[in-house]
Amino acid sequence: MARQNAVLRQDDQLLLSERQLRAEGFSWVAGVDEAGRGPLAGSVVAAAVVLPCDQPELPGVFDSKQLTEAEREELFEELYALPGIRISVASASVAEIDKLNILRATHLAMRRAVSGIKEADFVLVDGLPVQFTLPSRNIIKGDAKCASIAAASIIAKVTRDREMMQLDEIYPEYGFARHKGYGTAEHLEALKKFGPSAVHRKSFRPVYELLPDSPVQGTLDF
């Protein structure tokens, strides 16, 4: 089945935010998004992407949640092969999530991703505002409205999914390759049977309920 947008052109509505910012004098507009806020295990991954403005056609990026796994993988490869693109991926570890809480850890991963693109001079971030050292603007549901955020969403999602598949080889009893760490019935049953692993987030309720003596951030859930 063909993707919804096979090709993205520079005058497309999805690139409107980037065009407006370039008209204001910014040259390297980075879109930022994350993957992995909700799962019970694994790191949270963020990606920053600056799409080239000198390419007449770009990969047809779209909200990663509306794409199949195969479509995300295809776009992931197309984005990395695109001349002139800038991509930076960063994460916050399980230990950082448990120490900081998931929101702060997510913002930390986003800032790390942006810092990996030295040329970046403006940040477009999905969702609520995030504090960066650069000027920034948040876009609610930005992964469906802004091309660079959509590209970052795809990069972050595929990167994290691949990490969870690698963890599945180390901890096969939990089924990470299938649910990617989310709290599915299968995952919850495995947690009860085997207990939390070293890559489970001990500050998330379904995990810390199995560890009554562990320090927790009681307001956190998934």
Side-chain angles (χ1 to χ4, degrees):
M1 182 180 296
R3 296 199 309 260
Q4 178 166 342
N5 300 312
V7 173
L8 188 68
R9 294 181 173 83
Q10 292 291 344
D11 61 352
D12 194 285
Q13 180 69 19
L14 279 177
L15 283 161
L16 177 61
S17 294
E18 291 87 344
R19 290 197 303 272
Q20 289 176 336
L21 287 165
R22 287 199 298 271
E24 294 174 21
F26 297 99
S27 301
W28 298 86
V29 180
V32 182
D33 202 1
E34 54 76 27
R37 282 185 61 171
L40 307 180
S43 62
V44 59
V45 174
V49 176
V50 177
L51 294 170
C53 59
D54 58 352
Q55 297 290 328
E57 293 185 349
L58 304 174
V61 294
F62 192 68
D63 179 3
S64 69
K65 294 185 291 294
Q66 304 300 320
L67 298 170
T68 66
E69 183 175 354
E71 288 171 337
R72 287 193 297 267
E73 288 279 349
E74 180 182 0
L75 278 165
F76 181 93
E77 300 298 337
E78 290 181 15
L79 287 166
Y80 267 100
L82 184 64
I85 197 170
R86 298 290 189 275
I87 298 173
S88 173
V89 179
S91 64
S93 68
V94 170
E96 289 172 322
I97 292 169
D98 287 339
K99 179 180 179 181
L100 300 173
N101 77 35
I102 185 59
L103 179 62
R104 291 175 182 170
T106 299
H107 290 184
L108 176 62
M110 287 178 164
R111 286 191 289 269
R112 286 171 173 168
V114 170
S115 69
I117 301 180
K118 302 304 181 185
E119 304 97 329
D121 54 10
F122 198 97
V123 181
L124 293 169
V125 61
D126 183 47
L128 298 175
V130 178
Q131 185 175 0
F132 297 96
T133 57
L134 297 173
S136 63
R137 178 182 305 160
N138 67 298
I139 302 177
I140 303 298
K141 297 184 178 179
D143 49 4
K145 300 175 181 178
C146 172
S148 60
I149 293 177
S153 172
I154 292 163
I155 296 294
K157 174 64 173 169
V158 173
T159 300
R160 189 180 188 280
D161 283 356
R162 290 180 178 183
E163 288 183 2
M164 294 309 296
M165 293 180 74
Q166 292 173 348
L167 288 177
D168 184 71
E169 298 178 4
I170 302 172
Y171 305 98
E173 63 269 29
Y174 297 100
F176 290 146
R178 291 182 293 278
H179 52 66
K180 308 302 189 291
Y182 283 90
T184 63
E186 174 195 5
H187 190 185
L188 293 174
E189 185 61 31
L191 264 174
K192 293 175 183 177
K193 182 176 181 180
F194 300 106
S197 72
V199 296
H200 278 94
R201 301 172 180 178
K202 296 177 177 60
S203 56
F204 276 44
R205 182 169 294 154
V207 181
Y208 74 62
E209 285 180 344
L210 298 174
L211 297 169
D213 295 329
S214 295
V216 298
Q217 298 156 351
T219 60
L220 286 185
D221 206 335
F222 71 98

